[in-house]
Amino acid sequence: EIAASAETVQTTISQVAGVAEESSSATEEVSASTEETSASAQQIAASAQQLSANAQALNDLVAMFKVEEGVAGRDGRSPAGH
């Protein structure tokens, strides 16, 4: 009976060791995935900042071409054609 109990304990220890090994492997995979996700998030943030800067530059350029209402055009008429 002691031998059977010892064998059961040994089997249980082996199973626990297997589960711990699988858990460790899964933890490493999650860690690697988290690092990749973090790097992607940083790239997205940098892209968003660049897009924001580009949008501001475009707004500045468009502002140079805006015509105030009531200002006469080249032909001396107002923009509405009056």
Side-chain angles (χ1 to χ4, degrees), residues 1-80:
E1 186 175 314
I2 293 176
S5 294
E7 187 176 327
T8 301
V9 168
Q10 184 62 35
T11 301
T12 302
I13 290 173
S14 294
Q15 290 173 344
V16 168
V19 169
E21 198 172 305
E22 290 174 10
S23 178
S24 176
S25 177
T27 299
E28 288 176 16
E29 289 178 24
V30 168
S31 178
S33 178
T34 300
E35 288 177 17
E36 289 176 18
T37 301
S38 177
S40 294
Q42 289 174 355
Q43 289 176 341
I44 290 169
S47 294
Q49 288 175 343
Q50 184 62 47
L51 285 172
S52 179
N54 289 348
Q56 183 59 50
L58 183 58
N59 280 336
D60 293 345
L61 289 171
V62 169
M64 293 180 358
F65 295 99
K66 287 187 178 177
V67 178
E68 293 180 28
E69 284 192 41
V71 175
R74 283 190 228 175
D75 61 1
R77 295 184 302 163
S78 68

